[in-house]
Amino acid sequence: MSLLKRTNYAKLPKPGGPYVHAVRHADTLYVSGLTAFATEAQGQAVQDQASAILEQLAAVAASEGTNLKSLIKITVFLTEIADLAAIRDVLFDYLDGALPASSLVAVSALFSPDLNVEIEAILAL
């Protein structure tokens, strides 16, 4: 029996490339970078995009029988470092004190010009 399980989630936009939404290895879930692509938040303020991403991440966690409190690590990719304070506010609201390890990477662009933030995550299951 393989310890790897590759999953695409119906509640998320279909992957636009050669990847899956998440890969489970034993009791750890590695979630690909999520954006506001194909959501109402696409092209909106960075806070709205971050909220849409965290809603997607919460849906993935729920599909796996857990919640955002099981986050081990997140990596945030941000096109405008000036938006960092706004992103932090959204993260504090959604994570409700269960803060994961985190990295922030400033990037020049994401795959669509109307996306300003991407978040990838690792969850304990």
Side-chain angles (χ1 to χ4, degrees):
M1 181 171 134
S2 174
L3 291 178
L4 293 178
K5 179 183 173 194
R6 292 166 170 73
T7 305
N8 283 321
Y9 300 90
K11 294 182 179 184
L12 274 60
K14 182 179 175 185
Y19 65 92
V20 294
H21 291 131
V23 175
R24 180 177 180 160
H25 179 262
D27 292 332
T28 305
L29 187 70
Y30 299 87
V31 181
S32 295
L34 300 173
T35 67
F37 181 74
T39 71
E40 291 181 11
Q42 183 173 351
Q44 302 300 315
V46 71
Q47 302 94 306
D48 297 326
Q49 291 186 36
S51 291
I53 293 165
L54 291 166
E55 289 293 331
Q56 291 177 59
L57 189 54
V60 167
S63 293
E64 297 294 338
T66 190
N67 57 46
L68 295 180
K69 291 183 186 236
S70 68
L71 278 168
I72 297 170
K73 168 96 170 48
I74 60 171
T75 303
V76 178
F77 301 91
L78 194 55
T79 60
E80 296 291 333
I81 203 70
D83 291 331
L84 179 56
I87 294 294
R88 283 182 176 157
D89 288 343
V90 174
L91 288 169
F92 278 121
D93 286 346
Y94 273 86
L95 300 179
D96 194 31
L99 303 178
S102 178
S103 296
L104 172 71
V105 181
V107 296
S108 61
L110 294 172
F111 70 91
S112 177
D114 55 357
L115 298 173
N116 304 102
V117 61
E118 181 170 341
I119 300 173
E120 64 182 27
I122 302 171
L123 294 96
L125 301 177

